[in-house]
Amino acid sequence: QVQLVESGGGLVQAGGSLRVSCAASGRIFKINAMGWYRQNPEKQRELVATITSGGHTNYADSVKGRFTISRDNAENTVYLQMNSLKPEDTGVYYCNANVEKYSFSISMDYWGKGTLVTVSS
């Protein structure tokens, strides 16, 4: 089995910064793309940022220039540095990883349980 565990959420004032982390563990041969998604009660889960194993990144327009995604392939960990936070960034942030459990196996998507980020105005 593969587990994703997020950490680093919390309460921050608007304009502040926060970094969330996600560590993958378990039966892992290779992790392809990793990413962060978020959800709040008013919206469906939405993509925040993704990063490939080679380091290519993609961001939602709403976070470009403020958020930075990075990963440590040796540690199977992905990070999201969030700067200039806004109240609309509030939500539960979920980690996603596309994982091959064995050599030449079909890759599958796994999700963490989420970490709450609250930005006060």
Side-chain angles (χ1 to χ4, degrees):
Q1 190 57 287
V2 175
Q3 297 85 35
L4 301 180
V5 179
E6 301 100 336
S7 61
L11 174 64
V12 63
Q13 287 188 332
S17 297
L18 204 61
R19 188 174 88 151
V20 291
S21 304
C22 171
S25 62
R27 188 66 178 96
I28 297 172
F29 171 72
K30 179 183 177 183
I31 300 179
N32 298 312
M34 301 184 81
W36 289 95
Y37 294 72
R38 67 187 179 192
Q39 186 169 19
N40 63 44
E42 288 79 34
K43 295 182 180 179
Q44 293 183 330
R45 189 174 298 189
E46 61 178 357
L47 179 147
V48 176
T50 60
I51 184 168
T52 67
S53 58
H56 179 77
T57 59
N58 180 55
Y59 296 93
D61 287 342
S62 60
V63 306
K64 282 181 181 177
R66 300 188 297 121
F67 291 11
T68 302
I69 189 171
S70 61
R71 65 189 281 175
D72 183 333
N73 290 330
E75 297 294 328
N76 291 335
T77 300
V78 63
Y79 306 95
L80 185 68
Q81 177 67 43
M82 302 181 286
N83 299 327
S84 302
L85 282 160
K86 304 175 181 179
E88 51 263 44
D89 294 318
T90 294
V92 178
Y93 283 67
Y94 295 92
C95 174
N96 170 270
N98 184 262
V99 178
E100 296 176 31
K101 295 175 69 174
Y102 306 95
S103 177
F104 300 112
S105 67
I106 296 173
S107 64
M108 293 181 60
D109 279 336
Y110 293 88
W111 293 88
K113 294 183 178 180
T115 185
L116 178 62
V117 172
T118 304
V119 184
S120 63
S121 57

